[in-house]
Amino acid sequence: MASEPPPAPSAPDPAAKAPSKARSRRRRTIALVLLSIVLLLALDQVGVRELSGRDFPSSDPLALALRARVEQLAAPAWGGRVPGSEGNAAAARSLADALAAANVKPFPSLGGYLAPLSEPTSPLGHNVLGWIPPEGESRGTIVLGAHFDHLGMTDEGLLLGADDNAAAVAVLLGALPSILAQHPRPYGVAVAFFNTEESPYFGTPRQGSQRFVAALPREIGGLSAVRLAVVLDLIGGVVWRPTADTIFACGAEKARGLPAIVDGVREPGLDVRRLGIHAVENIPGYVPQPFSDYDVFRDHGVPFLFLSSGRTPRYHRASDLPETLHYDRMARTSRWIAGLVAALSAAPPALSFDPRGEDFAAERDTLRYAFGAAAKPWTSIPGTSPITWARILGDRSRLEAMAEPGHTWTPEDARAIERASFRLQCLLYRFPVCFTL
Ligand SMILES: [Zn+2]
């Protein structure tokens, strides 16, 4: 490479002032950009406060009962309801009592509410099952399920599991009086409080829901008679204002006829938004990961609906406490579930499982709604970094493109939906690497 001789040093002349002025302008610009990035970061962290149940004082008459139930189940005295512990057994007995008080009977073939997880002994405890028989000619059974066990003592301290999953148990109990008041009732309703959902039992034959399916009460008449399994997990948490009144209904796309029924059930003040189960389970770059007790039903070809308000930063932490939950929304969810049972009774008995079922348009609409809010700095999700924000803008424009007239769905759309859905869940859970998705 040829080089020129260096210029000889010369006395400063007026022309040299111009570049030095440009330099200082550049420095000012860089300083301004840095300052605004710092400001943005600070705004992300403190400007948008993370919400909790304290921001949603309850006024719904049912909310008080739900709260009392959650406080009982998540009381330190029951130690987080760890399978095999006295606290878990006490929780199971209290749920049996709650079913009796609600006038829901046990399955006659079981002779009681407590169904063992193994035989001849059941050291880990029991599932708690109730049975509302059909009236007249039966169309089959609807399972309403939620696990009641939790993790208890960990390195972090005592995990009491208010949102995971005392809230869902309370919501199901809250739905029972309205379901019992429905006539006609062509479906039997199996109320299932599953044990042993948490690690290390998840995905093993020791999982309460797997045991339920393997030892189905005789009255149900076999798994093919289960027309729908509605499973709730993490149904009380709240972290972000735009989704504070939202629950996600996942998996309806896998049953022909179910999406329209789900969309048709309305409860004032509750936003039920559908999301495909793939958008919950398929983390980009990872093996698909089932999340709750709906899994065993899906694996056996039973139509299912998974209801959840999603993980919050309190998920599997000692901070998952009763005072952090949104009890009014939970009360609305109880009524919505009773409404769903009524709608199924009123609709023709036509649900059938469709493993390849998809409904990208519904997912696009659910995510467009969330990303519309997440993309605005004043309604962004707490903890959105500038890089994540840029990714959110990208997600939003991809979702907008999917809403153009005549759009044809591609596998890339499915992946973009999964990425957007996970970025959203990652942010709401406050997982630190949401921008890498
Ligand atoms: Zn859990």
Side-chain angles (χ1 to χ4, degrees):
M1 194 168 88
S3 65
E4 284 176 39
S10 57
D13 73 287
K17 273 189 181 155
S20 93
K21 228 186 215 163
R23 242 197 325 272
S24 72
R25 217 176 15 244
R26 202 162 54 230
R27 260 191 232 122
R28 258 206 311 277
T29 315
I30 291 171
L32 264 174
V33 167
L34 284 176
L35 187 68
S36 26
I37 289 176
V38 168
L39 262 173
L40 258 177
L41 277 170
L43 265 178
D44 276 344
Q45 299 307 315
V46 300
V48 196
R49 200 169 51 85
E50 187 177 285
L51 301 175
S52 118
R54 285 178 285 267
D55 299 286
F56 301 89
S58 39
S59 57
D60 192 298
L62 178 57
L64 281 178
L66 301 190
R67 180 165 188 147
R69 180 67 57 192
V70 170
E71 284 174 346
Q72 181 196 34
L73 288 168
W78 286 354
R81 311 179 300 283
V82 182
S85 71
E86 180 42 41
N88 180 282
R93 285 193 300 272
S94 82
L95 294 176
D97 291 346
L99 287 172
N103 205 22
V104 172
K105 304 285 185 275
F107 282 96
S109 63
L110 299 180
Y113 295 103
L114 303 184
L117 294 168
S118 56
E119 273 165 319
T121 60
S122 190
L124 290 173
H126 297 79
N127 285 332
V128 186
L129 308 179
W131 175 233
I132 304 175
E135 290 177 345
E137 197 174 332
S138 174
R139 282 192 193 173
T141 295
I142 298 169
V143 174
L144 302 179
H147 78 88
F148 72 91
D149 63 304
H150 194 57
L151 293 161
M153 191 53 83
T154 67
D155 293 346
E156 204 210 311
L158 188 57
L159 273 56
L160 295 170
D163 189 22
D164 187 10
N165 199 24
V169 170
V171 165
L172 282 189
L173 284 171
L176 298 180
S178 330
I179 292 172
L180 283 163
Q182 289 169 16
H183 307 282
R185 219 171 39 225
Y187 292 99
V189 176
V191 185
F193 298 123
F194 301 120
N195 209 334
T196 43
E197 189 267 358
E198 297 284 6
S199 178
Y201 310 109
F202 191 89
T204 76
R206 293 193 292 171
Q207 186 177 351
S209 52
Q210 294 222 17
R211 169 70 185 179
F212 173 78
V213 164
L216 211 60
R218 236 191 350 258
E219 291 78 358
I220 293 177
L223 208 49
S224 61
V226 178
R227 303 289 178 233
L228 178 67
V230 182
V231 170
L232 283 72
D233 206 338
L234 306 175
I235 202 72
V238 59
V239 63
W240 185 42
R241 182 79 57 182
T243 53
D245 292 321
T246 302
I247 61 168
F248 299 99
C250 310
E253 73 283 358
K254 299 295 184 201
R256 291 186 202 93
L258 187 55
I261 293 175
V262 168
D263 292 347
V265 181
R266 298 285 160 80
E267 173 61 31
L270 183 69
D271 250 344
V272 179
R273 293 185 182 267
R274 281 197 293 116
L275 206 52
I277 199 71
H278 77 104
V280 176
E281 295 187 336
N282 298 12
I283 309 174
Y286 291 86
V287 186
Q289 172 72 48
F291 274 109
S292 189
D293 290 308
Y294 64 84
D295 189 37
V296 67
F297 296 98
R298 185 250 317 265
D299 284 356
H300 285 84
V302 174
F304 69 99
L305 191 66
F306 174 46
L307 301 177
S308 179
S309 48
R311 293 182 190 183
T312 73
R314 298 174 276 268
Y315 172 74
H316 283 193
R317 309 290 299 269
S319 52
D320 180 7
L321 293 168
E323 64 264 29
T324 62
L325 305 187
H326 187 341
Y327 291 97
D328 273 7
R329 189 191 68 212
M330 286 164 57
R332 293 172 208 141
T333 304
S334 292
R335 288 192 290 271
W336 188 87
I337 289 167
L340 177 69
V341 173
L344 287 161
S345 300
L351 298 187
S352 63
F353 188 69
D354 174 12
R356 283 184 299 281
E358 299 290 0
D359 190 347
F360 294 132
E363 298 172 26
R364 170 203 64 202
D365 291 346
T366 294
L367 291 169
R368 267 177 94 198
Y369 158 80
F371 277 80
K376 295 187 190 91
W378 55 93
T379 51
S380 69
I381 302 171
T384 304
S385 73
I387 306 170
T388 303
W389 188 59
R391 303 286 230 158
I392 284 175
L393 293 181
D395 291 328
R396 189 180 61 168
S397 67
R398 275 185 289 276
L399 290 163
E400 292 304 322
M402 293 177 209
E404 268 160 28
H407 179 78
T408 36
W409 297 100
T410 65
E412 282 76 58
D413 289 334
R415 274 194 292 279
I417 283 173
E418 285 163 10
R419 211 174 302 120
S421 167
F422 246 86
R423 200 183 320 283
L424 182 71
Q425 293 174 63
C426 181
L427 277 164
L428 293 174
Y429 175 28
R430 213 188 316 121
F431 201 65
V433 291
C434 309
F435 67 89
T436 61
L437 292 171

